[in-house]
Amino acid sequence: MQERIRTIRLASWIALVGNFILAVTKVLVGFISGSLSVLSDGIDSSTDVLIALMTLFAARISAKPGDKEHPYGHGRAETVASAVIAFVVFFAGSQVLVSAIKAILSGERAVMPAPIALWVTVFSITGKLALSYSQFHFGKKAGSNMLIANGKNMRGDVVTSVAVLVGLALAFLTGIPVLDKILAILVALWIIKNAIGIFLEANTELMDGTADRGPYLDLFNAISSVPAAGNPHRVRLRRIGSMLVADLDIEVDPHMTVAQGHDIALAVEAAIKDAMPEIYDVIVHIEPNGNVEKEQYGLTASDAGISE
């Protein structure tokens, strides 16, 4: 766990320093060159600085062990941070969108941006590519959806910077400076799209849902290694940061003793934990073979796409 937290902190510091340099550079050049799209790109990078600070704070909280109020630990702090990241990015994109639309509707004569705007955009693309790669690399290494969400945000920033570069190039080639503002609108819409995507992923986890069937496949395969554990069903997985909690029912011979049923439950728990290192806890409910109790929630092997 400590190694994971160190990895998240390192990634967050890299994002913080890198985005601070990019943000200051682009905001200054945006003002100097008169390019609204470069200024908008700089504002977007400024939100990335706030996001990096947030990930550092979230990593500190998620490192705390479980307590009486939080028996499952504090891993959800990363998920909450991902949701907040989405709101920050959405707000930044909305501000850029409103500014660009106002600039076009104002009817003021557009001014051609200075050539330096092109060079700072090339610098931004290079820097964002490196930062995005670092977030994905460390996110996968630490199993942190928060870092991966930040990596997706930065990958989107690369696309927006490329759009800004294309817009500036077209403005210089055609002599139509309003293209810079039109590209700023497209940049803003892309930022908003990324924000919605990040929020939907975080919201799925906050609602104890998962779109990934991979862990379910691993879990059912682990249960199948315990022959006495029949008909695993009502299987539910919830994610808490990088960890998973499994809740499931199995059927056993009804003539077994309580102790024998308990031993089978322990064997199932051990098999799951051996097969899935990310498991935080396993809750196994024992039922007699052929139980016909109506059960509404959870998955069976067939639900998870496994042929029984």
Side-chain angles (χ1 to χ4, degrees):
M1 176 62 76
Q2 289 304 314
E3 179 62 29
R4 177 178 182 273
I5 296 302
R6 281 194 290 269
T7 299
I8 294 176
R9 285 174 178 168
L10 174 60
S12 299
W13 275 110
I14 291 173
L16 176 62
V17 174
N19 280 301
F20 180 79
I21 293 171
L22 289 175
V24 171
T25 304
K26 287 189 285 188
V27 169
L28 288 176
V29 171
F31 277 116
I32 294 171
S33 66
S35 171
L36 182 59
S37 59
V38 171
L39 180 61
S40 300
D41 204 13
I43 293 173
D44 184 37
S45 290
S46 298
T47 64
D48 291 337
V49 175
L50 295 176
I51 289 171
L53 289 170
M54 195 183 311
T55 57
L56 280 169
F57 183 66
R60 183 177 179 180
I61 295 176
S62 64
K64 294 180 179 180
D67 52 38
K68 290 182 180 180
E69 289 76 24
H70 308 89
Y72 287 106
H74 297 76
R76 281 279 172 86
E78 294 183 27
T79 313
V80 173
S82 296
V84 175
I85 285 172
F87 283 109
V88 172
V89 173
F90 184 88
F91 177 76
S94 300
Q95 291 296 103
V96 171
L97 181 63
V98 171
S99 297
I101 292 175
K102 283 184 176 180
I104 292 176
L105 296 179
S106 66
E108 294 181 7
R109 184 176 179 275
V111 179
M112 186 68 70
I116 191 176
L118 285 169
W119 294 110
V120 77
T121 304
V122 172
F123 171 66
S124 172
I125 292 170
T126 304
K128 283 292 185 179
L129 279 172
L131 289 173
S132 176
Y133 172 80
S134 73
Q135 297 303 292
F136 279 117
H137 172 73
F138 290 120
K140 291 175 182 177
K141 181 179 178 181
S144 172
N145 288 334
M146 176 178 64
L147 290 183
I148 292 175
N150 201 17
K152 290 179 180 179
N153 174 43
M154 292 184 189
R155 184 174 61 188
D157 292 343
V158 173
V159 176
T160 60
S161 292
V162 169
V164 170
L165 183 62
V166 171
L168 289 170
L170 288 174
F172 280 108
L173 289 173
T174 62
I176 305 175
V178 74
L179 289 176
D180 178 59
K181 295 179 177 61
I182 293 174
L183 260 294
I185 291 176
L186 297 179
V187 167
L189 292 174
W190 181 264
I191 293 171
I192 291 171
K193 175 182 175 294
N194 281 341
I196 294 172
I198 292 171
F199 174 76
L200 290 177
E201 289 186 14
N203 186 60
T204 297
E205 185 174 329
L206 289 172
M207 297 289 287
D208 284 334
T210 175
D212 185 5
R213 286 293 178 263
Y216 280 100
L217 177 63
D218 295 337
L219 186 141
F220 279 106
N221 286 335
I223 298 172
S224 67
S225 68
V226 184
N231 187 28
H233 59 284
R234 223 161 69 98
V235 176
R236 287 161 289 177
L237 287 173
R238 70 171 71 177
R239 182 167 292 281
I240 302 174
S242 63
M243 307 299 289
L244 289 169
V245 174
D247 191 342
L248 63 134
D249 292 5
I250 59 171
E251 295 181 3
V252 300
D253 184 343
H255 302 295
M256 281 184 175
T257 65
V258 172
Q260 289 173 321
H262 177 66
D263 288 341
I264 293 173
L266 289 179
V268 168
E269 180 179 349
I272 292 173
K273 288 184 174 179
D274 286 343
M276 305 172 68
E278 69 272 30
I279 288 289
Y280 179 82
D281 192 18
V282 180
I283 303 165
V284 183
H285 177 237
I286 300 293
E287 297 179 351
N289 282 333
N291 181 57
V292 293
E293 180 183 347
K294 184 178 181 182
E295 296 166 321
Q296 182 177 357
Y297 306 106
L299 276 66
T300 63
S302 59
D303 293 329
I306 303 170
S307 56
E308 298 181 278

